[in-house]
Amino acid sequence: MPSIAGAEAGAGHNAVDSWRSSRFASPMLSALLRHPRAIAASFALAAIVSLPTRAAEPSVQRALFGRAGDGTTIDVLTLTNSRGASAKVITYGAILADLRVPDRDGKFAGVVHETVFSETNYARGFPQAAMIAGRVANRIANARFTLDGHDYTLIANNGRHSIHGGPKGFGHVIWQAQPVTAADGAAVKLTYLSPDGDQGYPGNLTATVTYTLTNDNTLRLDYRATTDQTTPVNLTNHAYFNLAGEGDVLDTVLQLNADRYTVADATLIPTGEIKGVENTPLDFRAPQPLGARGDQLGASRRYDHSFVLHRPAGSGLALAARASEPRSGRVMEVWTTQPGIQLYTSPLAGPAPPESAGFFCLETQHYPDSVHHPDFPSTILRPGETFSSTTEYRFSVASAAHR
């Protein structure tokens, strides 16, 4: 009885003879079959080529973003995960300058308004940037408040009101940045010390935000703050999203885990009343295209509304919003520990500004003007306490069948 090796050799010769006699054999194949050593080399090469490629290691790269005429130096830290997604964070304003994730075909595109350096952009404070808003994001009525019997006057920068911490809020200062170890991706931690009296706020406040780009294409923001005097704190990121990477956002489908909103006056200051979204253009309990009700939004034709998130008692990180873009298939879920979310959009009806891409913002935060409304969740931070919140933007793609 032939040995196994002999049987295999015989079978191999029979196969070669069969291939040689086939009228479908190519000239290259015929040439290979006349040289057994070439066959062996070809199989060895195929084995090498077919070896599974190793996923790239997550990385953080630091470089110069720009140097302004006044001497200000701004660095950029580029986070890249093992799947090729990337996020660029700059030290000015702790801005998310770029975020690139794949569509259903694996093509990468930026999904936030890209921040680029120029003297003009720097002088304007980098408009439409995904900055960290603080010390208090959103509005404080009449740019003043009373806390523990002390009156504080802020710098008004939204008519008579204060917005996003003032004209030199956290989105317009230089943060200190340091790459940090992340178990599931690439991360950078940024720190800013806001001194006592900064923009009118009391206390020395140390704030940190850690951006982590995980290997499953989630961008996680972890916020922390401590103070040596009692002060209000409300931190968020003001990213301008466009999941297609271009064009308008009229067909972007949004669903919010919110059945109530904070009623506001004509200057967007809450009245204190909280109402249901039913039978209003604010009802996103079921998925709706952003542009479906643009003509119902008044003269601005845009959303700029604070929603009360539905959060079960004791819940931590919870789903707040889901946005999907039908052309690219990109899907973004927003998960947060915060009680509210501000929806802000580009105009959704009428003629679009020329050469202007549409956008939507989903700013996870406490309600606007909370410092004047004791019934709202508190934004007050006291010495010995730590402000802590987390928001995740989880990216995926929908199949073509779900367009």
Side-chain angles (χ1 to χ4, degrees):
M1 177 177 274
S3 68
I4 293 176
E8 288 176 343
H13 284 299
N14 289 337
V16 168
D17 291 340
S18 174
W19 288 346
R20 278 176 174 158
S21 64
S22 171
R23 60 192 175 95
F24 296 107
S26 69
M28 181 177 291
L29 180 59
S30 298
L32 282 173
L33 295 177
R34 287 194 296 271
H35 301 281
R37 290 183 179 178
I39 295 175
S42 297
F43 277 116
L45 177 61
I48 293 172
V49 172
S50 63
L51 285 174
T53 57
R54 199 171 145 191
E57 290 292 328
S59 65
V60 180
Q61 300 293 327
R62 187 171 195 144
L64 177 67
F65 180 72
R67 185 174 289 110
D70 63 5
T72 300
T73 297
I74 304 170
D75 285 349
V76 56
L77 293 98
T78 301
L79 285 59
T80 306
N81 71 8
S82 63
R83 299 167 70 177
S86 63
K88 292 184 178 181
V89 181
I90 63 174
T91 52
Y92 182 100
I95 289 170
L96 176 64
D98 193 29
L99 176 61
R100 295 185 175 268
V101 296
D103 65 6
R104 64 163 61 90
D105 297 321
K107 297 177 180 177
F108 287 81
V111 294
V112 299
H113 179 82
E114 185 178 5
T115 297
V116 297
F117 183 82
S118 71
E119 281 291 345
T120 299
N121 284 345
Y122 172 73
R124 296 177 62 198
F126 297 107
Q128 290 195 356
M131 67 178 184
I132 297 300
R135 177 177 308 196
V136 175
N138 219 308
R139 293 165 177 83
I140 291 181
N142 300 310
R144 64 173 183 263
F145 61 91
T146 300
L147 185 58
D148 293 344
H150 298 282
D151 295 329
Y152 297 96
T153 300
L154 309 175
I155 302 174
N157 62 329
N158 183 236
R160 66 180 184 275
H161 310 307
S162 172
I163 189 170
H164 299 327
K168 289 291 288 183
F170 288 4
H172 301 284
V173 296
I174 299 295
W175 294 59
Q176 301 303 310
Q178 183 65 43
V180 292
T181 301
D184 55 347
V188 61
K189 181 178 181 179
L190 297 103
T191 303
Y192 178 65
L193 172 60
S194 174
D196 181 27
D198 186 12
Q199 307 299 291
Y201 288 97
N204 295 293
L205 182 90
T206 300
T208 67
V209 57
T210 301
Y211 286 89
T212 303
L213 181 62
T214 72
N215 293 325
D216 63 357
N217 291 346
T218 291
L219 182 68
R220 183 172 67 245
L221 278 69
D222 293 298
Y223 304 86
R224 302 289 184 272
T226 57
T227 183
D228 61 3
Q229 293 183 50
T230 303
T231 184
V233 177
N234 188 21
L235 304 180
T236 192
N237 184 281
H238 206 306
Y240 292 74
F241 290 104
N242 183 318
L243 297 183
E246 61 183 5
D248 60 49
V249 294
L250 303 181
D251 294 331
T252 297
V253 176
L254 178 66
Q255 185 173 14
L256 295 177
N257 188 19
D259 53 15
R260 297 181 297 161
Y261 70 101
T262 60
V263 179
D265 65 18
T267 63
L268 302 181
I269 296 297
T271 64
E273 182 182 10
I274 293 178
K275 293 181 66 173
V277 299
E278 189 175 4
N279 298 320
T280 77
L282 308 183
D283 192 350
F284 286 96
R285 292 174 297 174
Q288 295 284 339
L290 280 171
R293 296 166 293 190
D295 57 357
Q296 301 176 36
L297 297 173
S300 71
R301 300 175 286 116
R302 70 169 79 227
Y303 287 98
D304 197 356
H305 297 80
S306 171
F307 290 82
V308 176
L309 292 174
H310 177 68
R311 298 182 57 82
S315 63
L317 201 62
L319 178 64
R322 185 179 190 271
S324 59
E325 203 288 311
R327 291 167 290 171
S328 65
R330 291 188 183 91
V331 177
M332 180 181 75
E333 289 187 349
V334 182
W335 292 67
T336 189
T337 59
Q338 290 277 32
I341 192 166
Q342 185 87 10
L343 172 63
Y344 178 56
T345 70
S346 53
L348 298 172
E355 301 179 1
S356 176
F359 65 80
F360 65 96
C361 303
L362 292 168
E363 306 162 51
T364 57
Q365 57 185 262
H366 279 58
Y367 313 156
D369 199 34
S370 290
V371 72
H372 289 128
H373 297 278
D375 292 337
F376 288 0
S378 177
T379 56
I380 303 305
L381 181 69
R382 299 184 182 279
E385 299 175 343
T386 299
F387 169 88
S388 176
S389 76
T390 296
T391 293
E392 292 184 351
Y393 303 96
R394 302 179 181 180
F395 292 93
S396 61
V397 293
S399 67
H402 291 89
R403 289 186 183 184

